Amino acid sequence: MTAAVEAQRLVKHFGGRGGTVEAVRGVDLSVSKGEVFGFLGPNGAGKSTTVKMLTTLMSITSGTALVAGVDVAADPDAARRRIGVALQEAGLDPRQTGRELLVLQARLFGSPRGEAADRAQSLLELVDLVEAADRRIKGYSGGMKRRLDLASALVHEPEVLFLDEPTTGLDPASRLTVWDEVRRINRRGTTVFLTTQYLEEADALCDRLAIIDGGVIVREGTPSELKSQLRERQGLAYGPTLDEVFLDATGRTRERIEGEVQEVHA
Amino acid sequence: MSDTWVLGQRGLRETLRTPDSLIPTLFIPVFFLVVNVGQAGKIFPSGTTPFLEGQNYAAFQLPSSLLLAASFGTAALYLVEDIEGGYFDKLRAAPVSRTSIVLGRLVAEGAKNLAITAVMVLLALPFGISIATGPLGFVLLLLLTAGWAVVFAGFMQLIALKTRSAAATNAGGLVFFPLLFLTPNFVPRDLLTRPMEIAATFNPVTYIMEAMRSFILEDWTWSRLGPGFAVVAVLGVVMVVLNVRMIRTYD
Ligand SMILES: Nc1ncnc2c1ncn2[C@@H]1O[C@H](COP(=O)(O)OP(=O)(O)OP(=O)(O)O)[C@@H](O)[C@H]1O
Ligand SMILES: [Mg+2]
């Protein structure tokens, strides 16, 4: 059985006036079919860059990436048919209505007109946007936009769904709705690759996760594996939280963060 | 092909939903037409000016105004909005040919310009302007003008894709100044001063303008119509190829 995502020594350099930025420096990833995979890391760690490379939206400096068994660099269109992606910044067109946007997206993925309309309707129901469906997206709230963006990533029932911080900026109720949604999508057999800043989200949703820092993977495993590793290594008497795993992995200890905060206040 | 049309419809929808953006496109060229004819019309009376072929000076000036209306490149500004708003990434994530993504916008721009040019010509008819080549000439005149609109929008899209900035794209649009004014704008090419004539001869827009004039003033004269269409066809292909290349390597 091929993996849903298989990346080897993935590298991304950005050339700019101020020299090259090495955003991703040799990332290996292996996500099994049917998993919800969490991809964590501090700001600027290279999460979004990795997601964009895996979803054909950005060229790969070196290394290879197979998604749903397709080499994304060699055959991007075949990969695109199997991938759904909702990026960190919801990419919507404010002048269309929610329904128009979904119909257009479904048609670009090959559905004929009638089928696209049906698909749009069922997705609108799924993300609870039926009432707002025929209003322009310009007037949607942040949470509505996120939900519409999520729906638009699902028009073609992708095998692998990439969600880059899907719950950032959502109220607690909407966040739970998205969690339910992710679980439901996953139950239907879609592999989910999800980045997040919220560790309780990773804990609640993800079967396995990787932590990236400075462009390299620093931890990988199931949430409980990672927690018990830390517990053993530090000889802790209590079970650490995923937050502690994260802080340990990224070298941002509580003490240091508190120290930094004090300096700022001084 | 059907992807191009689906994306083209979206482009047209966008235009229809921002009707305000059409106001300058119509108003500025009509303003120039009225002012230029008002200032220079007396120098070129229709009876004694051979190059007018019996029509008035407005008939001679109309093509400049039509070209001006076709040189706004609004499609590129919408493209910058798509890029800034992230919608462009959504389109790029779809399994459609990169050519369709480029052509979708350009088709919409062409269709919009067909409508604008038609309105302007029809408004001009009551003011003593007629199309010497008749209804077929009218249709081809529209297509030629729309072809230029597509070329110009294609050029501005290149700037948009390169800079991803509305300000830079707007600034790039200012090339319409030399392009439209280093032409036989007020008199035919053989009446220009020598340096102007040389500049106009190197400017591709000259041949489009001369072809448009030929539709309005003369009987079918393929030696003047042909170069205009050739220029639009060649530049059109160049722009599409460059746009597609740019999207393929877009990061
Ligand atoms: N287009 C670009 N040009 C130059 N540098 C870039 C570009 N995109 C990202 N970078 C740099 O690459 C690094 C990784 O950025 P990336 O967006 O992948 O981080 P991230 O993990 O998604 O962060 P966040 O949690 O803030 O979203 C950063 O240093 C960023 O400045
Ligand atoms: Mg990010």
Side-chain angles (χ1 to χ4, degrees), chain B residues 23-224:
Chain B
I23 294 171
T25 317
L26 268 172
F27 176 77
I28 297 175
V30 170
F31 175 83
F32 268 99
L33 183 62
V34 170
V35 167
N36 288 346
V37 173
Q39 298 199 359
K42 252 190 188 167
I43 314 173
F44 306 108
S46 51
T48 53
T49 312
F51 68 75
L52 293 182
E53 308 277 347
Q55 294 212 44
N56 60 32
Y57 189 59
F60 184 84
Q61 272 291 315
L62 181 61
S64 309
S65 284
L66 297 180
L67 282 173
L68 185 57
S71 306
F72 279 78
T74 342
L77 294 175
Y78 288 129
L79 175 61
V80 174
E81 281 184 27
D82 278 356
I83 291 174
E84 284 175 345
Y87 190 62
F88 189 58
D89 282 333
K90 192 171 290 295
L91 296 181
R92 288 198 307 131
V96 294
S97 76
R98 308 297 101 170
T99 315
S100 299
I101 295 181
V102 174
L103 285 181
R105 284 213 162 284
L106 294 182
V107 163
E109 185 75 5
K112 183 182 85 178
N113 183 261
L114 278 181
I116 288 174
T117 309
V119 167
M120 286 182 63
V121 174
L122 293 175
L123 282 178
L125 292 181
F127 295 93
I129 296 172
S130 59
I131 311 285
T133 46
L136 181 60
F138 171 70
V139 172
L140 289 179
L141 172 66
L142 297 191
L143 288 174
L144 180 63
T145 316
W148 169 250
V150 167
V151 167
F152 194 80
F155 167 75
M156 294 222 356
Q157 285 195 18
L158 288 178
I159 306 175
L161 288 167
K162 183 88 197 150
T163 65
R164 300 173 199 186
S165 134
T169 305
N170 260 323
L174 293 179
V175 296
F176 87 85
F177 257 118
L179 284 177
L180 293 194
F181 290 98
L182 295 179
T183 51
N185 195 25
F186 287 97
V187 289
R189 211 170 350 149
D190 51 355
L191 296 182
L192 293 173
T193 61
R194 188 74 188 132
M196 250 320 185
E197 189 188 344
I198 293 169
T201 304
F202 281 105
N203 182 355
V205 177
T206 295
Y207 302 96
I208 304 171
M209 191 182 275
E210 287 178 349
M212 292 167 74
R213 247 174 218 155
S214 179
F215 276 123
I216 297 172
L217 299 176
E218 314 174 298
D219 212 6
W220 294 90
T221 313
W222 285 105
S223 61
R224 260 193 285 279

Side-chain angles (χ1 to χ4, degrees), chain A residues 12-16 21-24 39-52 58 88-89 164-165 195-197 212 215, chain B residues 164 251:
Chain A
K12 179 71 191 181
H13 291 176
F14 291 107
V21 179
E22 299 181 6
V24 176
F39 198 44
L40 316 181
N43 291 135
K47 300 182 297 295
S48 297
T49 305
T50 305
V51 167
K52 285 185 182 166
M58 205 174 247
Q88 189 168 353
E89 318 288 341
D164 195 357
E165 302 198 18
T195 83
T196 179
Q197 301 282 2
I212 183 173
Chain B
R164 300 173 199 186
D251 256 357

Side-chain angles (χ1 to χ4, degrees), chain A residues 12 57-59 77 80-81 85 87 90-93 95-96 100-101 104-105 107-109 136 149 152, chain B residues 3 6-7 10 13-14 17-18 78 81 85-87 89-96 98 250-251:
Chain A
K12 179 71 191 181
L57 292 173
M58 205 174 247
S59 64
D77 272 343
R80 287 174 189 130
R81 270 184 220 107
V85 55
L87 291 177
L92 302 171
D93 166 17
R95 294 195 188 88
Q96 294 186 78
E100 285 167 347
L101 185 121
L104 173 59
Q105 203 64 13
R107 296 204 65 191
L108 294 179
F109 276 90
R136 307 242 177 115
D149 196 38
S152 80
Chain B
D3 291 333
V6 170
L7 289 167
R10 179 227 160 194
R13 203 151 62 207
E14 188 168 65
R17 286 183 187 168
T18 44
Y78 288 129
E81 281 184 27
Y87 190 62
D89 282 333
K90 192 171 290 295
L91 296 181
R92 288 198 307 131
V96 294
R98 308 297 101 170
Y250 183 99
D251 256 357

Side-chain angles (χ1 to χ4, degrees), chain A:
Chain A
M1 197 176 101
T2 55
V5 179
E6 189 78 65
Q8 271 166 5
R9 295 181 302 284
L10 216 48
V11 173
K12 179 71 191 181
H13 291 176
F14 291 107
R17 273 175 219 131
T20 347
V21 179
E22 299 181 6
V24 176
R25 304 184 298 160
V27 160
D28 294 319
L29 284 171
S30 179
V31 179
S32 308
K33 273 191 184 158
E35 260 184 337
V36 178
F37 185 82
F39 198 44
L40 316 181
N43 291 135
K47 300 182 297 295
S48 297
T49 305
T50 305
V51 167
K52 285 185 182 166
M53 284 193 283
L54 293 176
T55 53
T56 78
L57 292 173
M58 205 174 247
S59 64
I60 295 172
T61 305
S62 72
T64 55
L66 301 183
V67 178
V70 180
D71 185 326
V72 295
D75 196 352
D77 272 343
R80 287 174 189 130
R81 270 184 220 107
R82 296 173 165 80
I83 294 174
V85 55
L87 291 177
Q88 189 168 353
E89 318 288 341
L92 302 171
D93 166 17
R95 294 195 188 88
Q96 294 186 78
T97 67
R99 188 187 303 280
E100 285 167 347
L101 185 121
L102 291 178
V103 169
L104 173 59
Q105 203 64 13
R107 296 204 65 191
L108 294 179
F109 276 90
S111 299
R113 191 188 294 270
E115 221 171 84
D118 294 344
R119 185 80 190 128
Q121 179 62 28
S122 64
L123 286 169
L124 287 164
E125 286 163 13
L126 190 79
V127 296
D128 199 16
L129 282 174
V130 175
E131 267 167 53
D134 298 303
R135 297 210 314 261
R136 307 242 177 115
I137 294 164
K138 198 182 183 137
Y140 285 18
S141 75
M144 291 161 82
K145 285 183 184 157
R146 277 242 160 251
R147 268 145 49 207
L148 182 64
D149 196 38
L150 176 62
S152 80
L154 297 173
V155 286
H156 54 302
E157 306 195 346
E159 287 172 43
V160 186
L161 177 63
F162 289 85
L163 301 174
D164 195 357
E165 302 198 18
T167 60
T168 300
L170 294 190
D171 67 42
S174 306
R175 173 167 305 158
L176 291 178
T177 317
V178 171
W179 288 12
D180 283 344
E181 203 41 57
V182 168
R183 289 195 184 103
R184 192 150 17 131
I185 293 163
N186 177 246
R187 265 202 305 277
R188 287 192 318 221
T190 303
T191 307
V192 180
F193 186 108
L194 166 130
T195 83
T196 179
Q197 301 282 2
Y198 302 107
L199 297 155
E200 81 275 16
E201 178 165 301
D203 221 351
L205 285 178
C206 299
D207 302 313
R208 250 164 22 90
L209 48 90
I211 301 176
I212 183 173
D213 189 21
V216 292
I217 303 281
V218 291
R219 292 285 186 284
E220 194 173 352
T222 66
S224 59
E225 273 168 17
L226 294 177
K227 285 182 228 171
S228 60
Q229 273 170 19
L230 180 68
R231 181 175 180 171
E232 276 167 36
R233 194 154 42 80
Q234 298 198 336
L236 300 174
Y238 61 96
T241 61
L242 207 49
D243 284 57
E244 283 164 298
V245 172
F246 181 86
L247 293 172
D248 171 65
T250 57
R252 287 157 175 76
T253 61
R254 267 183 210 288
E255 292 73 37
R256 236 180 70 198
I257 286 173
E258 277 159 16
E260 280 165 10
V261 171
Q262 275 163 12
E263 267 170 47
V264 171
H265 284 284

